[in-house]
Coordinates of all heavy atoms in Angstrom, one line a residue:
F1 N -2.7 -0.9 -10.2 CA -1.8 0.3 -10.1 C -2.3 1.2 -9.1 O -3.5 1.2 -8.6 CB -1.7 1.0 -11.5 CG -3.0 1.7 -12.0 CD1 -3.3 3.0 -11.8 CD2 -3.9 0.9 -12.7 CE1 -4.4 3.6 -12.2 CE2 -5.1 1.5 -13.1 CZ -5.4 2.8 -12.9
G2 N -1.4 2.1 -8.6 CA -1.8 3.1 -7.6 C -1.2 4.5 -8.0 O 0.0 4.5 -8.5
M3 N -1.9 5.6 -7.9 CA -1.5 6.9 -8.4 C -1.2 7.8 -7.2 O -2.1 8.0 -6.3 CB -2.5 7.5 -9.3 CG -2.7 6.6 -10.6 SD -1.3 6.5 -11.6 CE -0.9 8.2 -11.9
F4 N -0.1 8.4 -7.2 CA 0.3 9.5 -6.2 C 0.0 9.1 -4.8 O -0.6 9.8 -4.0 CB -0.5 10.8 -6.6 CG -0.1 11.4 -7.9 CD1 -0.8 11.1 -9.0 CD2 1.0 12.2 -8.0 CE1 -0.4 11.7 -10.3 CE2 1.5 12.8 -9.2 CZ 0.7 12.5 -10.3
W5 N 0.5 7.9 -4.4 CA 0.4 7.5 -3.0 C 1.4 8.4 -2.2 O 2.5 8.8 -2.6 CB 0.8 6.0 -2.9 CG -0.3 5.1 -3.3 CD1 -1.4 5.4 -4.1 CD2 -0.5 3.7 -3.0 NE1 -2.2 4.3 -4.3 CE2 -1.6 3.3 -3.6 CE3 0.3 2.9 -2.2 CZ2 -2.1 2.0 -3.5 CZ3 -0.1 1.6 -2.1 CH2 -1.3 1.1 -2.7
R6 N 1.0 8.6 -0.9 CA 1.8 9.5 0.0 C 3.0 8.7 0.6 O 2.8 7.6 1.2 CB 0.9 10.1 1.1 CG 0.0 11.2 0.6 CD -1.1 11.5 1.6 NE -0.5 11.8 2.9 CZ 0.0 13.0 3.3 NH1 -0.2 14.0 2.5 NH2 0.5 13.1 4.5
R7 N 4.2 9.2 0.5 CA 5.3 8.6 1.1 C 5.1 8.6 2.7 O 5.5 7.6 3.3 CB 6.6 9.4 0.8 CG 7.8 9.0 1.5 CD 9.0 9.8 1.0 NE 10.2 9.6 1.9 CZ 11.4 10.1 1.6 NH1 11.6 10.8 0.5 NH2 12.4 9.9 2.4
A8 N 4.5 9.6 3.2 CA 4.4 9.7 4.7 C 3.4 8.7 5.2 O 3.4 8.5 6.5 CB 3.9 11.1 5.0
D9 N 2.6 8.0 4.4 CA 1.6 7.1 4.9 C 2.2 5.6 4.9 O 1.4 4.7 5.1 CB 0.4 7.1 4.1 CG -0.5 8.3 4.4 OD1 -0.3 8.9 5.5 OD2 -1.4 8.7 3.6
V10 N 3.5 5.5 4.7 CA 4.1 4.2 4.6 C 5.1 4.1 5.8 O 5.8 5.1 6.1 CB 4.9 3.9 3.3 CG1 5.6 2.6 3.4 CG2 4.0 4.0 2.1
N11 N 5.1 3.0 6.5 CA 6.0 2.8 7.6 C 7.4 2.2 7.1 O 7.6 1.0 7.0 CB 5.4 1.8 8.6 CG 6.3 1.6 9.9 OD1 7.3 2.3 10.1 ND2 6.0 0.6 10.7
W12 N 8.3 3.1 6.8 CA 9.6 2.8 6.2 C 10.5 2.2 7.2 O 11.5 1.6 6.8 CB 10.2 4.0 5.5 CG 9.3 4.6 4.5 CD1 8.6 5.8 4.6 CD2 9.1 4.1 3.2 NE1 7.9 6.0 3.4 CE2 8.2 5.0 2.5 CE3 9.5 3.0 2.5 CZ2 7.7 4.8 1.2 CZ3 9.0 2.7 1.2 CH2 8.1 3.6 0.6
E13 N 10.2 2.2 8.5 CA 11.0 1.6 9.5 C 11.1 0.1 9.3 O 12.0 -0.6 9.9 CB 10.5 2.0 10.9 CG 10.7 3.5 11.2 CD 10.2 3.8 12.6 OE1 9.7 2.9 13.3 OE2 10.2 5.0 13.0
L14 N 10.1 -0.5 8.6 CA 10.1 -1.9 8.4 C 11.2 -2.4 7.4 O 11.4 -3.5 7.2 CB 8.8 -2.4 7.9 CG 7.6 -2.2 8.9 CD1 6.3 -2.5 8.2 CD2 7.8 -3.0 10.1
K15 N 11.8 -1.4 6.7 CA 12.9 -1.6 5.7 C 12.5 -2.7 4.7 O 11.6 -2.5 3.9 CB 14.1 -2.0 6.5 CG 14.6 -0.9 7.4 CD 15.9 -1.2 8.1 CE 16.4 -0.1 9.0 NZ 17.7 -0.4 9.6
Q16 N 13.2 -3.8 4.6 CA 12.9 -4.8 3.6 C 11.6 -5.5 3.8 O 11.1 -6.1 2.8 CB 14.0 -5.9 3.5 CG 14.1 -6.8 4.8 CD 15.1 -6.3 5.8 OE1 15.3 -5.1 5.8 NE2 15.7 -7.2 6.6
N17 N 10.9 -5.3 4.9 CA 9.6 -5.8 5.2 C 8.5 -4.8 5.1 O 7.4 -5.0 5.5 CB 9.5 -6.5 6.5 CG 10.5 -7.7 6.7 OD1 10.6 -8.5 5.8 ND2 11.2 -7.7 7.8
V18 N 8.8 -3.7 4.4 CA 7.9 -2.6 4.3 C 6.6 -3.1 3.6 O 6.6 -3.9 2.7 CB 8.5 -1.4 3.5 CG1 8.8 -1.7 2.1 CG2 7.6 -0.2 3.6
K19 N 5.5 -2.5 4.0 CA 4.2 -2.8 3.4 C 3.6 -1.6 2.6 O 3.7 -0.5 3.1 CB 3.2 -3.3 4.4 CG 3.6 -4.5 5.1 CD 2.5 -5.0 6.2 CE 2.9 -6.3 6.9 NZ 1.9 -6.7 7.8
L20 N 3.1 -1.9 1.4 CA 2.5 -0.9 0.6 C 1.0 -1.3 0.5 O 0.6 -2.1 -0.3 CB 3.1 -0.8 -0.8 CG 4.6 -0.6 -0.9 CD1 5.0 -0.6 -2.3 CD2 4.9 0.7 -0.2
L21 N 0.2 -0.7 1.4 CA -1.2 -1.2 1.6 C -2.2 -0.4 0.7 O -2.1 0.8 0.7 CB -1.6 -1.1 3.1 CG -0.7 -1.8 4.0 CD1 -1.2 -1.6 5.5 CD2 -0.8 -3.3 3.7
G22 N -3.0 -1.1 0.0 CA -4.0 -0.5 -0.8 C -5.4 -1.1 -0.7 O -5.5 -2.3 -0.2
V23 N -6.4 -0.4 -1.1 CA -7.8 -1.0 -1.0 C -8.4 -0.7 -2.4 O -8.2 0.4 -3.0 CB -8.6 -0.4 0.1 CG1 -8.1 -0.8 1.5 CG2 -8.7 1.1 0.0
H24 N -9.2 -1.6 -2.8 CA -10.0 -1.4 -4.1 C -11.2 -0.5 -3.7 O -11.9 -0.8 -2.8 CB -10.4 -2.7 -4.7 CG -10.9 -2.5 -6.1 ND1 -12.1 -2.1 -6.5 CD2 -10.2 -2.7 -7.3 CE1 -12.2 -2.0 -7.8 NE2 -11.1 -2.4 -8.3
P25 N -11.4 0.6 -4.5 CA -12.5 1.5 -4.1 C -13.9 0.9 -4.1 O -14.8 1.4 -3.5 CB -12.4 2.6 -5.2 CG -11.7 2.0 -6.3 CD -10.7 1.0 -5.7
T26 N -14.1 -0.3 -4.8 CA -15.4 -0.9 -4.8 C -15.6 -2.0 -3.8 O -16.6 -2.7 -3.7 CB -15.8 -1.4 -6.2 OG1 -14.8 -2.5 -6.6 CG2 -15.7 -0.3 -7.2
D27 N -14.5 -2.3 -3.1 CA -14.5 -3.4 -2.1 C -15.2 -2.9 -0.8 O -14.6 -2.1 0.0 CB -13.1 -3.9 -1.8 CG -13.0 -5.0 -0.8 OD1 -14.1 -5.6 -0.4 OD2 -11.9 -5.5 -0.4
K28 N -16.4 -3.4 -0.5 CA -17.1 -3.0 0.7 C -16.4 -3.5 2.0 O -16.7 -2.8 3.0 CB -18.5 -3.6 0.6 CG -19.4 -3.0 -0.6 CD -20.8 -3.5 -0.6 CE -21.6 -3.0 -1.7 NZ -23.0 -3.5 -1.8
T29 N -15.6 -4.5 1.9 CA -15.0 -5.0 3.1 C -13.7 -4.2 3.4 O -13.1 -4.3 4.5 CB -14.6 -6.5 3.0 OG1 -13.5 -6.6 1.9 CG2 -15.8 -7.3 2.6
Q30 N -13.3 -3.3 2.4 CA -12.1 -2.5 2.6 C -10.9 -3.4 3.0 O -10.1 -3.0 3.8 CB -12.3 -1.4 3.6 CG -13.3 -0.4 3.2 CD -12.8 0.5 2.0 OE1 -11.9 1.3 2.2 NE2 -13.3 0.2 0.9
Q31 N -10.7 -4.5 2.3 CA -9.6 -5.4 2.6 C -8.3 -4.8 2.1 O -8.2 -4.2 1.0 CB -9.8 -6.7 1.8 CG -8.7 -7.7 2.0 CD -8.8 -9.0 1.1 OE1 -9.5 -8.9 0.1 NE2 -8.1 -10.0 1.4
H32 N -7.3 -4.8 3.0 CA -6.0 -4.2 2.7 C -5.2 -5.2 1.9 O -5.0 -6.3 2.3 CB -5.3 -3.8 4.0 CG -5.8 -2.6 4.6 ND1 -5.2 -2.0 5.7 CD2 -7.0 -1.9 4.4 CE1 -5.9 -0.9 6.1 NE2 -7.0 -0.9 5.3
I33 N -4.7 -4.8 0.7 CA -3.8 -5.6 -0.1 C -2.4 -5.1 -0.1 O -2.2 -3.9 -0.3 CB -4.3 -5.6 -1.6 CG1 -5.8 -5.9 -1.7 CG2 -3.5 -6.6 -2.4 CD1 -6.2 -7.3 -1.2
D34 N -1.5 -5.9 0.3 CA -0.1 -5.5 0.3 C 0.6 -5.6 -1.1 O 0.7 -6.7 -1.6 CB 0.7 -6.4 1.3 CG 2.1 -5.9 1.5 OD1 2.5 -4.8 1.0 OD2 2.9 -6.6 2.3
M35 N 0.9 -4.5 -1.6 CA 1.5 -4.4 -3.0 C 3.0 -4.4 -3.0 O 3.7 -4.2 -4.0 CB 1.0 -3.1 -3.7 CG -0.5 -3.1 -3.9 SD -1.1 -4.4 -4.9 CE -2.9 -4.0 -4.9
A36 N 3.6 -4.6 -1.8 CA 5.1 -4.6 -1.7 C 5.8 -5.6 -2.6 O 6.9 -5.4 -3.0 CB 5.5 -4.8 -0.3
G37 N 5.1 -6.7 -2.9 CA 5.7 -7.7 -3.8 C 5.4 -7.6 -5.2 O 5.7 -8.5 -6.0
Q38 N 5.0 -6.4 -5.7 CA 4.7 -6.2 -7.1 C 5.9 -6.1 -7.9 O 7.0 -5.8 -7.4 CB 3.9 -4.9 -7.3 CG 2.4 -5.0 -7.1 CD 1.8 -5.8 -8.3 OE1 2.4 -6.3 -9.2 NE2 0.4 -5.9 -8.3
T39 N 5.8 -6.4 -9.2 CA 6.8 -6.1 -10.2 C 6.2 -5.1 -11.2 O 5.0 -5.1 -11.4 CB 7.2 -7.4 -11.0 OG1 6.0 -8.0 -11.6 CG2 7.7 -8.5 -10.0
G40 N 7.0 -4.4 -11.9 CA 6.5 -3.4 -12.8 C 7.4 -2.2 -12.9 O 8.6 -2.2 -12.8

């Protein structure tokens, strides 16, 4: 889950291909995970 993400930090110009990028706070590699395909 993600709490209070900023709308302004998403590139909505991608439309149906928009990406919702998140990082796990304990991941030292800071790997970006795209959550756009989530259900819930």
Side-chain angles (χ1 to χ4, degrees):
F1 66 97
M3 298 299 301
F4 293 96
W5 283 20
R6 288 168 51 88
R7 172 177 171 174
D9 284 342
V10 178
N11 183 8
W12 302 107
E13 293 180 359
L14 295 176
K15 299 183 179 181
Q16 66 266 28
N17 297 316
V18 66
K19 295 182 179 181
L20 304 177
L21 302 177
V23 295
H24 195 279
T26 62
D27 183 5
K28 295 181 179 179
T29 67
Q30 293 293 287
Q31 179 185 19
H32 287 190
I33 309 297
D34 185 5
M35 300 296 181
Q38 272 290 3
T39 60

